[in-house]
Amino acid sequence: MSEIPETSDETPDPLFIYLHGFASSPGSKKAQFFKDRLAVRGITLHIPDLNVPNFEHLTLSTMIARTAEEAQSAPNAQINLIGSSMGGLLALHFADRHREVHVSRLFLMAPAFDMYQNRRRTLGAEGMAAWKATGQLATYHYGSQQTRQLHHGLMDDMAAYDSFAVDLPQPMVIYHGRNDASVDYHDSERFAESRPNVTLRLVDSDHELLDQLEPMWAEAVRFWQI
């Protein structure tokens, strides 16, 4: 008689993934803060390096593929995504493009929903034109603490992604500083205004939100019910 394989009714443990921002790394202050706080509760925070295939040739598409690899490390798990800046943009489009994955909730900090306009505000029209003409842009990478050459393919790839057209059912929390000089908080307002599943917290802070770590953690604990 053949043996009947054992089955389990246990629900897989949730998987927490932190998606760091542009020109950043897994060693960012916010990533390590959430890692330490979750560890106290016995939860492992996965923080993939999103400079893929490397920072010089970074695209949102390669970042989505890297996040998919991380999600596959725990099949069938309920995934909680934490995204900072461009990592928030990534979280949104990963959940949209990979609906077969069980993304449960999204916790976003200063999400760069419109990366093209963010770069345009920083560089100006002439700077954007020069970047496109030369194909490269000297960019300081905070993770490696050095200036590196970023290709224009990042912007070319970004044309395939429209954050404001994405409609997801998952609960989301967005924290955004009113004094953010890198990502306009009005983009978060625009995104949240027609989506009842999105809770927007506008705070008196800058892009880094480092003075909001404790309030964000308290919100996250309630949000994740941990």
Side-chain angles (χ1 to χ4, degrees), residues 62-79:
T62 59
M63 294 170 77
I64 288 175
R66 177 66 188 89
T67 305
E69 291 176 2
E70 199 69 32
Q72 290 166 4
S73 68
N76 302 317
Q78 296 293 318
I79 298 174

Side-chain angles (χ1 to χ4, degrees), residues 18 20 24-32 35 46-51 141 143:
Y18 187 100
H20 66 72
S24 187
S25 74
S28 75
K29 291 180 180 178
K30 288 196 294 293
Q32 293 304 308
K35 178 181 178 181
H46 296 246
I47 315 175
D49 187 345
L50 300 171
N51 295 287
H141 190 278

Side-chain angles (χ1 to χ4, degrees), residues 21-97:
F22 174 73
S24 187
S25 74
S28 75
K29 291 180 180 178
K30 288 196 294 293
Q32 293 304 308
F33 172 84
F34 279 95
K35 178 181 178 181
D36 292 344
R37 290 301 178 91
L38 286 167
V40 171
R41 294 171 180 262
I43 299 171
T44 298
L45 179 60
H46 296 246
I47 315 175
D49 187 345
L50 300 171
N51 295 287
V52 286
N54 48 52
F55 179 69
E56 288 77 5
H57 299 93
L58 180 71
T59 67
L60 183 57
S61 293
T62 59
M63 294 170 77
I64 288 175
R66 177 66 188 89
T67 305
E69 291 176 2
E70 199 69 32
Q72 290 166 4
S73 68
N76 302 317
Q78 296 293 318
I79 298 174
N80 292 297
L81 297 177
I82 312 168
S84 173
S85 192
M86 189 178 180
L89 172 73
L90 168 59
L92 180 75
H93 287 287
F94 171 76
D96 181 43
R97 299 290 176 106

Side-chain angles (χ1 to χ4, degrees), residues 141-155:
H141 190 278
Y142 294 92
S144 61
Q145 298 184 349
Q146 58 183 252
T147 298
R148 298 165 69 171
Q149 297 296 326
L150 178 65
H151 77 148
H152 191 267
L154 175 64
M155 291 294 99

Side-chain angles (χ1 to χ4, degrees), residues 113 164 166 172 174 185-202:
F113 287 138
F164 301 103
V166 173
M172 299 184 210
I174 297 175
Y185 75 87
H186 290 101
D187 288 345
S188 288
E189 285 188 317
R190 176 186 170 191
F191 183 83
E193 64 183 359
S194 62
R195 295 171 172 83
N197 58 313
V198 178
T199 299
L200 176 62
R201 305 291 190 206
L202 294 179

Side-chain angles (χ1 to χ4, degrees), residues 81-149:
L81 297 177
I82 312 168
S84 173
S85 192
M86 189 178 180
L89 172 73
L90 168 59
L92 180 75
H93 287 287
F94 171 76
D96 181 43
R97 299 290 176 106
H98 286 273
R99 296 195 179 222
E100 78 284 359
V101 175
H102 303 293
V103 174
S104 177
R105 293 169 182 263
L106 296 87
F107 191 93
L108 311 180
M109 298 170 286
F113 287 138
D114 192 340
M115 192 73 178
Y116 181 87
Q117 289 302 326
N118 291 339
R119 294 298 93 195
R120 186 178 177 86
R121 279 192 294 269
T122 302
L123 300 173
E126 291 184 3
M128 290 291 286
W131 184 12
K132 185 172 183 178
T134 63
Q136 293 186 324
L137 177 69
T139 304
Y140 186 76
H141 190 278
Y142 294 92
S144 61
Q145 298 184 349
Q146 58 183 252
T147 298
R148 298 165 69 171
Q149 297 296 326

